[in-house]
């Protein structure tokens, strides 16, 4: 009888625990995030935050939407996703077009964009791009190349008002093997992705000349987190009893925690990313190995995350001086016609997430 009573008591406690756990799970706030590209180490901090339970610890049930060619700006603006990642030029040009998107955290502090040429081409400086064919990506991803070319007085075939452009732009869908080196003289490549793919095609680094846009003053910031004005103003995000501002701060805090862990534990981060990867994670040619390519990628994105203000313990912070320089550059190139309105960037989310005060 005593044994039976004890068993019943244990069962009751267990049932209560399971019910409590279930109730707590039900309290998790669903949040949809649209990443800019397919799952890979470029987004390692997000996947680490998910795997380590950092989002759940903040009371969030984060879902990463299927990614690919769709624009995160459109996905978030239409409400299909609550938050997204994109590049700053995409965000500011969208804002200029009346799309109410708002920057809430800056993950990469330095541009990873490059143009790559064969050393045998004797292209040694941007002035040598004249008369050449340059491979660029579509959908706003061509802006860094356009900015670099315009800085050196070069016009491109992307500008329909130019009758005799000095550079022929060749748009291609992200895989450098499609165009390089037979159809273009220079090709767009991120330090953490396509540069390694080009090496895999049989062109070792000593055979390549890599023009890093940031080395030439074109440091247009890339991976950032954003949402809409509507989400931030929402006083009761998805019926959670919390504001959109509060949910955004929790998302940013957990994501930065994930990024900090990923950068310090890169091999583990790669192993977390690998089960999520598709064919885009393998690199190219002789280096078509998912783990090797993602290890390269993790090493390179850690450099972008760690550069700039993050060295002062300000991960996720948009340096106001860098932001002003980005705006000035885009205006000088005619990509922006005027300064973005003040609501294009908010520091309040980052401040709430980190407990630090942003310098304006």
């Amino acid at each position: 009888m005593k044994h039976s009573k004890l068993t019943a008591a244990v069962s009751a406690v267990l049932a209560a625990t399971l019910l409590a756990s279930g109730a707590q799970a039900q309290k998790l706030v669903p949040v949809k995030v649209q990443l800019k590209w397919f799952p890979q180490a470029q987004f390692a901090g997000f996947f680490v935050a998910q795997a380590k339970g950092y989002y759940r610890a903040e009371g969030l049930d984060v879902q990463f939407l299927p990614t690919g060619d769709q624009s995160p700006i459109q996905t978030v603006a239409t409400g299909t996703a609550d938050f997204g990642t994109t590049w700053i030029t995409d965000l500011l040009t969208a804002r200029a077009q009346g799309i109410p998107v708002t920057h809430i955290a800056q993950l990469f502090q330095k541009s990873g964009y490059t143009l790559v040429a064969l050393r045998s081409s004797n292209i040694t400086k941007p002035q040598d791009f004249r008369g050449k064919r340059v491979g660029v990506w579509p959908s706003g991803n061509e802006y860094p190349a356009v900015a670099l070319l315009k800085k050196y007085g070069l016009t491109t075939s992307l500008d329909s008002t130019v009758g005799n452009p000095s550079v022929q732009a060749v748009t291609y869908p992200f895989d450098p093997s499609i165009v390089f080196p037979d159809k273009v003289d220079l090709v767009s490549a991120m330090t953490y992705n396509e540069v390694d793919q080009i090496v895999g095609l049989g062109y070792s680094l000593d055979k390549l000349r890599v023009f890093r846009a940031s080395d030439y003053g074109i440091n247009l910031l890339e991976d950032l987190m954003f949402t809409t004005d509507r989400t931030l103003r929402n006083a009761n995000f998805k019926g959670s009893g919390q504001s959109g501002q509060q949910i955004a701060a929790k998302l940013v805090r957990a994501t930065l925690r994930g990024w900090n862990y990923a950068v310090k534990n890169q091999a583990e981060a790669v192993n977390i990313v690998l089960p999520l990867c598709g064919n885009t994670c393998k690199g190219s040619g002789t280096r078509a190995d998912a783990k090797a390519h993602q290890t390269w990628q993790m090493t390179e994105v850690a450099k972008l995350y760690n550069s700039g203000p993050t060295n002062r313990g300000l991960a996720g912070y948009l340096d106001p001086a860098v932001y002003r320089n980005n705006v000035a550059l885009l205006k000088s190139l005619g990509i922006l016609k005027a300064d973005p309105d003040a609501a294009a960037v908010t520091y309040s989310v980052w401040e709430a997430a980190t407990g630090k005060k942003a310098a304006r």
Side-chain angles (χ1 to χ4, degrees):
M1 182 65 69
K2 290 182 180 180
H3 176 75
S4 182
K5 288 182 178 179
L6 182 61
T7 301
V10 170
S11 297
V13 170
L14 180 59
T17 301
L18 290 173
L19 285 172
S21 299
Q24 185 174 0
Q26 290 174 3
K27 292 179 182 178
L28 294 177
V29 182
V31 175
K32 294 181 179 180
V33 177
Q34 176 75 69
L35 301 178
K36 186 173 172 62
W37 192 237
F38 296 99
Q40 56 184 12
Q42 176 185 356
F43 310 109
F46 292 93
F47 300 132
V48 168
Q50 184 87 300
K52 293 291 182 182
Y54 298 159
Y55 292 128
R56 292 182 65 85
E58 294 286 351
L60 306 180
D61 178 15
V62 173
Q63 176 189 1
F64 299 112
L65 299 185
T67 54
D69 294 329
Q70 68 267 43
S71 164
I73 294 285
Q74 293 300 324
T75 307
V76 173
T78 58
T80 303
D82 306 302
F83 300 88
T85 71
T86 193
W87 293 359
I88 201 162
T89 308
D90 302 338
L91 182 132
L92 294 181
T93 53
R95 187 86 194 187
Q97 294 165 9
I99 302 175
V101 285
T102 302
H103 181 299
I104 60 173
Q106 184 62 49
L107 299 175
F108 290 179
Q109 302 294 335
K110 186 177 181 180
S111 172
Y113 183 86
T114 75
L115 287 173
V116 177
L118 294 177
R119 285 186 176 271
S120 59
S121 68
N122 294 320
I123 300 173
T124 62
K125 55 187 181 300
Q127 291 87 338
D128 296 336
F129 297 174
R130 184 177 297 276
K132 305 301 183 184
R133 301 162 300 169
V134 178
V136 298
W137 300 315
S139 306
N141 295 298
E142 73 276 13
Y143 288 132
V146 171
L148 180 59
L149 294 167
K150 284 191 174 183
K151 180 174 181 177
Y152 289 90
L154 301 172
T155 58
T156 78
S157 56
L158 294 172
D159 187 347
S160 60
T161 66
V162 176
N164 188 27
S166 49
V167 171
Q168 181 66 36
V170 178
T171 302
Y172 75 100
F174 302 101
D175 182 353
S177 67
I178 295 173
V179 294
F180 185 81
D182 298 328
K183 298 178 181 178
V184 297
D185 304 291
L186 297 115
V187 68
S188 299
M190 303 306 293
T191 56
Y192 53 81
N193 197 359
E194 289 81 13
V195 170
D196 188 49
Q197 290 183 28
I198 292 169
V199 171
L201 295 175
Y203 305 100
S204 57
L205 286 175
D206 61 349
K207 295 179 180 178
L208 301 174
R209 196 174 300 278
V210 180
F211 298 91
R212 297 173 183 262
S214 59
D215 290 345
Y216 298 92
I218 308 299
N219 187 36
L220 291 172
L221 295 175
E222 290 144 8
D223 291 33
L224 58 87
M225 297 175 67
F226 74 98
T227 187
T228 60
D229 299 351
R230 178 184 64 252
T231 293
L232 293 177
R233 289 195 304 265
N234 190 334
N236 187 19
F237 183 89
K238 297 186 180 179
S240 65
Q242 302 174 70
S243 69
Q245 183 95 0
Q246 290 173 304
I247 296 298
K250 290 182 174 184
L251 180 71
V252 168
R253 180 162 51 244
T255 300
L256 294 180
R257 187 180 175 191
W259 267 110
N260 292 337
Y261 188 95
V263 168
K264 292 177 182 176
N265 303 274
Q266 295 184 23
E268 183 180 352
V270 168
N271 286 332
I272 289 173
V273 170
L274 283 175
L276 307 172
C277 276
N279 291 334
T280 58
C281 290
K282 294 182 179 179
S284 296
T286 59
R287 294 168 71 93
D289 176 82
K291 187 168 186 177
H293 185 54
Q294 292 307 301
T295 298
W296 168 293
Q297 190 163 121
M298 186 68 239
T299 299
E300 293 300 320
V301 296
K303 296 174 185 176
L304 304 181
Y305 180 79
N306 271 337
S307 62
T310 55
N311 290 332
R312 304 194 301 274
L314 298 178
Y317 180 60
L318 175 61
D319 188 319
V322 175
Y323 175 64
R324 288 192 294 270
N325 287 342
N326 273 218
V327 170
L329 174 59
L330 293 173
K331 285 174 62 180
S332 71
L333 297 169
I335 294 172
L336 288 180
K337 303 301 182 185
D339 287 337
D341 64 278
V345 173
T346 179
Y347 286 93
S348 60
V349 172
W350 180 85
E351 289 176 333
T354 63
K356 297 176 181 179
K357 188 69 176 177
R360 303 297 206 278

